[in-house]
Amino acid sequence: MKGIRRLAHHLDISIGTVSRALNGRPDVNEETRKRVLQAAEDFGYVPNQSGRSLRQGTTNIIGFMIQTGSEITGQGDTFFMSVFDGVQVVFARHKLDLVALLCSSEEDPGDYLRRVVARGFADGLILSATQRHDPRIEFLAERNIPFVTLGRSLTDAGQPWLDLDFEGMAQASIDRLVARGHRRIAITRPHDDVNLGYVFVDRCREALAAHGLTLEDDLIFRSTPNEAGGYQIGRDLLALDDRPTAILLINETIAVGFYQALSEAGIRPGRDIAVIGRYSPHAHFLSPPLTCFRLSLRDLGIALAETLLSSMPAFRHHYPHATANQLWPMELVEGESDAFQIHQS
Amino acid sequence: MKGIRRLAHHLDISIGTVSRALNGRPDVNEETRKRVLQAAEDFGYVPNQSGRSLRQGTTNIIGFMIQTGSEITGQGDTFFMSVFDGVQVVFARHKLDLVALLCSSEEDPGDYLRRVVARGFADGLILSATQRHDPRIEFLAERNIPFVTLGRSLTDAGQPWLDLDFEGMAQASIDRLVARGHRRIAITRPHDDVNLGYVFVDRCREALAAHGLTLEDDLIFRSTPNEAGGYQIGRDLLALDDRPTAILLINETIAVGFYQALSEAGIRPGRDIAVIGRYSPHAHFLSPPLTCFRLSLRDLGIALAETLLSSMPAFRHHYPHATANQLWPMELVEGESDAFQIHQS
């Protein structure tokens, strides 16, 4: 055991707290900070050299790691390009360049990130697709490399993060559907261990429980984030003996395929089943219009960039008010896909 | 004047030929090669150091430069992500990583590229959005940095390139529309100086001339590559006193907005006007289905990567048969949008 992990073990506090204390973050109490700094001195802890060079900002490049591959970006991207646009607005102020680090879905993201860091060409990093347990977070924190995550994780090194408010989406959707009489409500989750899936399922379960309802296991559909995944969910749902009367789609890329599967069976959203999803540029092709949650991706990019820079010594003074941890709200756009109501007998 | 440009001037041959000769490419005759090598020795020419380090492949990163910005990728990307997918298939064989170099449309691409090269973090580069005159090409060639362009340019340094066969698309479309009786045929071109616009307009003009027809200036519509651009073209077309009976859309991102503008005026593609465009994942939402030209973006990515590697000393032996210059064919997918015919009286 070495570095920041050893300090945390010795002090019996979390790696996140140690990291926050070492980075002079305000959300650590004074006594803890003193203990950490004393222990760091006792142990002769110095930040890893590659981290140090990264922190000094010698390359003026910031890397944004995203997952690619035919299952993920095979039909294009309607999320990250707009986020990049916002990030670049901020970086342009500081002559920083953004590069997209494209990690193929066939490769382990941890291995990929180790190569990126070994090559030392970025001053800081933005990670996306945070997993339930994400070794990338500890890896970067131990090296004192500035980074921000788009998404939370159970692995918490005290790094700044932004995340879409999936809890808010889950709560508002379940409340809305229950108010319209639905009792058998299905939800979807991603095929992999991305953290947002857990957050979403947990909050849906809690929201249903508050109404005295249970989230049944056979009403949780897993799929890849693409049209084919949505189509498969539609087929699987239609094959159930006791079909749910409503469904909540977590991913913006699956609505099109889901509609298609329903359409082939003569089932119409809004008339025969209630559907709530997420906005994408495809959404306005759907008939009937999808009731969906929307956010400004460009503004999210701006906030991500400012949060990252607020954690980097060279730029911190420009962003004294950046929020280190932030749930990004999504706004409900009323469509017609959830007009279907259940009338209690 | 210095470097490769000086050699070319002295020998009174093109920079491209000098570059090909210095790189030992087979398409230079023996006598020319000897003259170039002799002159290089006389002038004490050595490849630029940053180029040399790039050629030696010390970073194992290949950069793919694309344009971003709200006008270009504001509604997402349905082109490059799939091309990246193909590129990564090839790079994975050699443990090379692909990074996307995101050049904001608000920045000069030449300035951006100079920074990228100064930072020296890529072994080779893929350039897209080649302009009619593109200083990036000479810049990289002079530094002997391995690169391939997706797109041609009047600036030719003898670098390998792949380009979509816009001439083939123009020729086939014009012939098809003329055979269906159309005489007033409109076309679109990009808003900027990207080379493909010139290639496309020129071939349309020639193909029309072969049928005794003229491409009229007021039937050439310029637009940004997005839905709003397509919508504006639709509005402008409808405002003409003498409306064309057919239109050829060069860009895959404009069809949706174009259909929208027509729909608002009660004009239906295939019934009231003939429309031919390019395939995108959006195309299958359009009603009636768009007659369009399609290509495998993933295969294009594979070819781009193999072409680049075939020009890099460390990888050349893996790709002895890669084609340095290639027009990539597009396949016509029959829809209903061009069913409208003009019956000669």
Side-chain angles (χ1 to χ4, degrees):
Chain A
M1 204 173 348
K2 59 183 184 169
I4 200 167
R5 187 190 291 270
R6 183 171 167 216
L7 289 182
H9 182 76
H10 170 76
L11 295 164
D12 196 23
I13 56 182
S14 76
I15 290 177
T17 302
V18 173
S19 171
R20 280 191 292 269
L22 291 171
N23 287 316
R25 292 266 293 278
D27 50 348
V28 179
N29 75 49
E30 198 49 36
E31 193 193 344
T32 306
R33 186 196 321 283
K34 280 182 185 162
R35 282 182 63 215
V36 171
L37 294 178
Q38 185 60 50
E41 199 175 314
D42 295 346
F43 282 82
Y45 172 77
V46 284
N48 179 293
Q49 196 57 36
S50 71
R52 189 187 287 270
S53 102
L54 282 163
R55 275 183 306 119
Q56 287 171 351
T58 51
T59 70
N60 291 316
I61 291 171
I62 306 289
F64 195 135
M65 183 171 168
I66 67 170
Q67 282 193 306
T68 59
S70 56
E71 280 198 341
I72 296 168
T73 47
Q75 290 162 306
D77 161 76
T78 56
F79 187 89
F80 286 106
M81 286 290 178
S82 296
V83 176
F84 293 162
D85 199 23
V87 170
Q88 287 186 303
V89 167
V90 176
F91 286 1
R93 299 174 197 149
H94 307 288
K95 309 277 182 201
L96 290 167
D97 287 322
L98 173 67
V99 304
L101 304 172
L102 308 171
C103 177
S104 163
S105 57
E106 290 172 24
E107 174 156 33
D108 177 74
D111 292 344
Y112 180 92
L113 186 63
R114 270 186 285 280
R115 284 207 308 280
V116 166
V117 168
R119 287 162 185 171
F121 73 89
D123 290 344
L125 294 163
I126 301 172
L127 302 185
S128 64
T130 47
Q131 303 296 300
R132 187 62 164 171
H133 298 275
D134 201 322
R136 296 178 302 171
I137 292 171
E138 282 190 356
F139 176 80
L140 292 177
E142 287 176 10
R143 281 157 189 76
N144 258 8
I145 293 171
F147 71 109
V148 58
T149 59
L150 175 54
R152 287 158 287 172
S153 168
L154 289 186
T155 312
D156 177 9
Q159 86 286 355
W161 55 258
L162 268 80
D163 203 355
L164 307 194
D165 183 13
F166 290 103
E167 290 97 327
M169 175 186 169
Q171 186 74 51
S173 300
I174 295 293
D175 289 349
R176 184 177 170 94
L177 292 169
V178 171
R180 293 178 176 201
H182 295 280
R183 295 292 174 268
R184 275 184 69 74
I185 300 171
I187 68 171
T188 74
R189 68 180 303 173
H191 67 300
D192 61 4
D193 268 347
V194 68
N195 188 66
L196 65 93
Y198 293 86
V199 167
F200 186 69
V201 171
D202 288 350
R203 179 55 73 93
C204 285
R205 196 185 306 278
E206 291 165 23
L208 285 165
H211 294 290
L213 299 171
T214 305
L215 177 60
E216 294 176 31
D217 283 346
D218 67 340
L219 296 187
I220 304 174
F221 295 93
R222 273 187 187 264
S223 84
T224 50
N226 55 22
E227 194 175 322
Y231 184 82
Q232 190 57 50
I233 289 175
R235 301 281 298 176
D236 292 347
L237 180 145
L238 293 169
L240 290 177
D241 288 334
D242 187 9
R243 198 188 294 164
T245 61
I247 187 166
L248 187 46
L249 309 176
I250 192 173
N251 195 296
E252 73 279 16
T253 54
I254 60 181
V256 170
F258 182 73
Y259 263 56
Q260 179 67 27
L262 262 55
S263 167
E264 288 175 9
I267 305 293
R268 188 171 165 84
R271 185 191 68 191
D272 308 313
I273 185 171
V275 181
I276 298 179
R278 284 192 33 221
Y279 175 84
S280 85
H282 300 145
H284 69 262
F285 297 113
L286 295 173
S287 175
L290 182 68
T291 292
C292 56
F293 284 82
R294 183 172 189 168
L295 69 156
S296 165
L297 297 170
R298 191 165 186 271
D299 288 345
L300 176 68
I302 289 172
L304 261 180
E306 293 189 344
T307 300
L308 174 64
L309 296 187
S310 75
S311 75
M312 297 173 71
F315 304 102
R316 186 175 290 162
H317 61 287
H318 292 288
Y319 303 100
H321 304 299
T323 310
N325 303 322
Q326 199 172 347
L327 274 186
W328 196 266
M330 293 189 274
E331 176 198 5
L332 183 70
V333 180
E334 300 249 4
E336 296 164 22
S337 62
D338 67 337
F340 177 55
Q341 303 200 14
I342 303 291
H343 299 287
Q344 305 302 315
S345 52
Chain B
M1 204 172 346
K2 59 183 185 171
I4 200 169
R5 187 191 291 268
R6 183 173 166 212
L7 289 182
H9 181 77
H10 171 75
L11 294 165
D12 196 22
I13 57 182
S14 75
I15 289 176
T17 302
V18 173
S19 171
R20 281 192 292 269
L22 291 171
N23 286 316
R25 291 266 294 279
D27 52 346
V28 179
N29 78 47
E30 198 48 38
E31 193 193 344
T32 304
R33 185 195 323 282
K34 280 182 185 162
R35 283 182 63 214
V36 170
L37 294 178
Q38 184 60 51
E41 199 174 314
D42 296 345
F43 282 81
Y45 173 78
V46 285
N48 179 292
Q49 195 57 36
S50 70
R52 188 187 288 269
S53 101
L54 283 162
R55 275 183 305 122
Q56 287 170 353
T58 50
T59 70
N60 292 316
I61 291 171
I62 305 289
F64 195 135
M65 182 173 168
I66 66 171
Q67 282 193 306
T68 58
S70 57
E71 281 197 341
I72 296 168
T73 48
Q75 290 163 307
D77 162 76
T78 55
F79 186 90
F80 286 106
M81 286 291 179
S82 297
V83 175
F84 293 162
D85 200 23
V87 169
Q88 287 185 305
V89 167
V90 175
F91 286 0
R93 299 174 197 149
H94 307 288
K95 310 276 184 204
L96 289 168
D97 287 322
L98 175 66
V99 304
L101 304 171
L102 308 172
C103 177
S104 162
S105 57
E106 289 172 24
E107 175 157 33
D108 177 74
D111 292 344
Y112 179 92
L113 186 63
R114 270 185 286 280
R115 285 207 306 279
V116 166
V117 167
R119 286 162 185 170
F121 72 89
D123 290 346
L125 294 163
I126 301 173
L127 303 185
S128 64
T130 47
Q131 302 296 299
R132 187 63 164 169
H133 298 276
D134 201 323
R136 298 178 300 171
I137 292 172
E138 282 190 355
F139 176 80
L140 292 176
E142 287 175 10
R143 282 155 188 78
N144 259 9
I145 294 170
F147 72 108
V148 59
T149 58
L150 175 55
R152 288 158 286 171
S153 168
L154 288 185
T155 312
D156 177 9
Q159 86 285 356
W161 55 259
L162 269 80
D163 202 355
L164 308 193
D165 183 14
F166 289 102
E167 291 97 326
M169 174 186 169
Q171 185 75 52
S173 300
I174 295 293
D175 289 349
R176 183 176 171 94
L177 292 169
V178 171
R180 293 176 176 203
H182 295 280
R183 295 291 174 268
R184 273 184 71 73
I185 299 172
I187 68 171
T188 74
R189 65 181 303 172
H191 66 299
D192 62 2
D193 269 347
V194 67
N195 187 65
L196 65 91
Y198 293 86
V199 167
F200 186 69
V201 171
D202 287 350
R203 179 57 73 91
C204 285
R205 197 186 304 278
E206 291 166 23
L208 285 165
H211 294 290
L213 300 171
T214 304
L215 178 60
E216 294 175 31
D217 283 345
D218 66 340
L219 296 187
I220 304 174
F221 295 93
R222 274 186 186 263
S223 85
T224 50
N226 56 21
E227 196 175 321
Y231 184 82
Q232 190 57 50
I233 290 175
R235 301 281 297 177
D236 292 346
L237 181 144
L238 293 169
L240 289 177
D241 288 333
D242 187 9
R243 197 187 294 162
T245 61
I247 187 167
L248 186 47
L249 308 176
I250 192 173
N251 195 295
E252 73 277 18
T253 54
I254 60 179
V256 170
F258 183 74
Y259 263 58
Q260 179 67 25
L262 263 54
S263 167
E264 287 175 10
I267 305 292
R268 188 171 165 84
R271 185 191 68 190
D272 308 312
I273 185 172
V275 181
I276 298 179
R278 281 184 45 211
Y279 174 83
S280 84
H282 300 144
H284 70 261
F285 297 114
L286 295 173
S287 174
L290 183 67
T291 293
C292 56
F293 284 81
R294 184 172 187 166
L295 70 157
S296 166
L297 297 171
R298 192 166 186 270
D299 289 345
L300 176 69
I302 289 173
L304 261 180
E306 292 189 344
T307 299
L308 174 65
L309 296 186
S310 75
S311 75
M312 297 173 71
F315 305 103
R316 185 175 290 161
H317 61 287
H318 291 288
Y319 302 100
H321 304 301
T323 309
N325 303 323
Q326 199 173 345
L327 273 186
W328 196 266
M330 293 189 273
E331 177 198 4
L332 183 72
V333 181
E334 301 248 4
E336 296 164 22
S337 61
D338 66 336
F340 176 55
Q341 303 200 13
I342 303 291
H343 300 288
Q344 305 301 314
S345 52

